[in-house]
Amino acid sequence: MRIAVFSDLHGNPYACQAVLAALRSEAACDAVVAAGDICLGGSDPAACIDLLCSEGVQAVIGNTETYLAAPERPPNDELHHSIWFRVQPVAHWTLERLSAAQVSWLEALPFELRFAPTSDPADDLLVVHANPRDVELMILPTYEAQEQYFGEVRQPDNDPALSAALQACSAGTIAFGHIHLVFQRRLRQHNLVSVAPCSLPGFDHDWRARYTLFTWQDRRWQIDRRWIDYGAQQEINALLSSDMPYKEYYAQYFGV
């Protein structure tokens, strides 16, 4: 079994095209999954949905999909609640550019997708946006990486919220996005694999799009990363020439 997972397109059709083109050059996958945050925050949200649908890509819901479903309801998590005055106008702008069929497609996205190479649930690959419980709590990287990026360990292994998010999850390997940082973290029986992002570079300031291949081999998931230099300036130019609210705020994630 071979599964490709990418996340956090954020309305960037150039990154989406590059990832899908790269996947066509790979050995055939049993499934390709977009792990949420598909539309909001980029120059062409409708094109991203069309591209995924044309290639038969499966997807799960992300936190920005919940914003599009209820743009009048502020999010619960502190981070996005604090920038809601910027995000809400972009949610309305995004919805204005989607067809009724595209909105219905987003509304029908599942919370998770599960891939079972054996009859043992511990061998399953679970794909979610942020964590197995909700679309908001970020899973942070290893202690060493937390020290590097934050100057301290903000999420220890015994963190109550993290423990609660993983408690009922039987899958041994969890693929997710949301945090915009590529890493792997082992926590008790779980292999936590962050695949994000395709767009809006995060802590590592890496403009390249990326995806992760999960191949079931020798009774475990082999994990291979792919980075694609797609020319992010295309998206920066398209974003800054658009009439999207707070476009400069989103462009600054590319280092603008």
Side-chain angles (χ1 to χ4, degrees), residues 71-153:
E72 304 307 322
R73 186 176 66 219
N76 294 321
D77 68 300
E78 182 179 349
L79 171 61
H80 292 96
H81 193 279
S82 69
I83 58 172
W84 185 241
F85 71 95
R86 293 192 189 101
V87 176
Q88 186 182 42
V90 179
H92 286 293
W93 181 89
T94 301
L95 285 169
E96 290 170 0
R97 279 145 187 81
L98 301 180
S99 68
Q102 289 172 328
V103 172
S104 295
W105 183 83
L106 289 173
E107 290 175 345
L109 293 178
F111 175 79
E112 65 179 44
L113 288 169
R114 185 179 291 262
F115 300 93
T118 72
S119 59
D120 184 353
D123 292 335
D124 288 357
L125 169 65
L126 182 73
V127 182
V128 293
H129 177 63
N131 66 77
R133 189 174 186 175
D134 60 48
V135 293
E136 295 176 335
L137 175 72
M138 286 186 179
I139 297 176
L140 300 187
T142 61
Y143 285 14
E144 181 181 4
Q146 290 185 54
E147 291 276 9
Q148 176 186 350
Y149 291 113
F150 312 127
E152 61 181 352
V153 174

Side-chain angles (χ1 to χ4, degrees), residues 7-23:
S7 188
D8 296 272
L9 285 171
H10 286 287
N12 180 343
Y14 306 101
C16 189
Q17 290 166 347
V19 166
L20 295 176
L23 282 167

Side-chain angles (χ1 to χ4, degrees), residues 201-214:
F203 299 104
D204 60 6
H205 306 294
D206 191 329
W207 289 21
R208 292 174 295 176
R210 60 202 86 185
Y211 61 93
T212 301
L213 293 169
F214 296 82

